[in-house]
Amino acid sequence: LECKGAECRVDTVRVVDVGGRFYEYVRPSCVEQAFYNGAKKISQKERHWPAVCANPSLPVALGACCLSNKHESIYYNTEATLEGNEYDGERTTFSTAEARCAESGKVTCDYDIITLDGFKSGYHWTDEPCKILVKVNEYGYVASWHLPSDLG
């Protein structure tokens, strides 16, 4: 099937309408690499809420756009907005989020808070790098440890 209109702008879908019938897309269970290059920090609605590292090539977060990058701004309370989402709860890759911010004259940023409707939640891309470390206990058990740039 060829995409039409807004369908062509998304990285993944959740529900598809085919001839008046709706189908839910469920991403196949798979194993993804625990370590990858170029990890980016993704955050929830507010800066002090949990943040983790994410693979920028996977559609796992929403965009977050600011008027300017916090590090270049004189403002300390950087507020972000959602820009160009094609559907509620859409998840994009980092490059799609970055492009949509640019289309509205904004940039991705490490925001303090993002303006959302009260019921919406989820993670949002930031432009901050993120470290993925490994820890091994005395029994040889291995775990990954995400270290966002503002904590490292």
Side-chain angles (χ1 to χ4, degrees), residues 17-36:
D17 177 359
V18 180
R21 293 183 185 250
F22 293 90
Y23 298 89
E24 179 182 11
Y25 172 73
V26 178
R27 190 171 169 198
S29 299
C30 63
V31 176
E32 294 174 0
Q33 298 295 320
F35 300 96
Y36 39 85

Side-chain angles (χ1 to χ4, degrees), residues 73-152:
S73 175
I74 60 171
Y75 303 106
Y76 294 101
N77 293 318
T78 304
E79 186 173 333
T81 57
L82 294 174
E83 300 291 338
N85 289 2
E86 295 296 336
Y87 61 88
D88 212 18
E90 178 185 11
R91 293 185 183 116
T92 69
T93 62
F94 177 75
S95 63
T96 296
E98 194 172 42
R100 289 185 184 171
C101 287
E103 287 172 8
S104 62
K106 296 182 178 182
V107 295
T108 56
C109 64
D110 189 20
Y111 56 87
D112 292 308
I113 189 165
I114 187 164
T115 305
L116 298 170
D117 292 335
F119 65 91
K120 295 185 181 183
S121 62
Y123 282 91
H124 304 271
W125 289 109
T126 74
D127 63 344
E128 290 295 302
C130 200
K131 293 179 185 174
I132 303 174
L133 306 173
V134 66
K135 55 185 176 179
V136 182
N137 72 9
E138 70 263 19
Y139 303 106
Y141 292 111
V142 178
S144 64
W145 178 33
H146 292 206
L147 188 62
S149 61
D150 57 349
L151 298 176

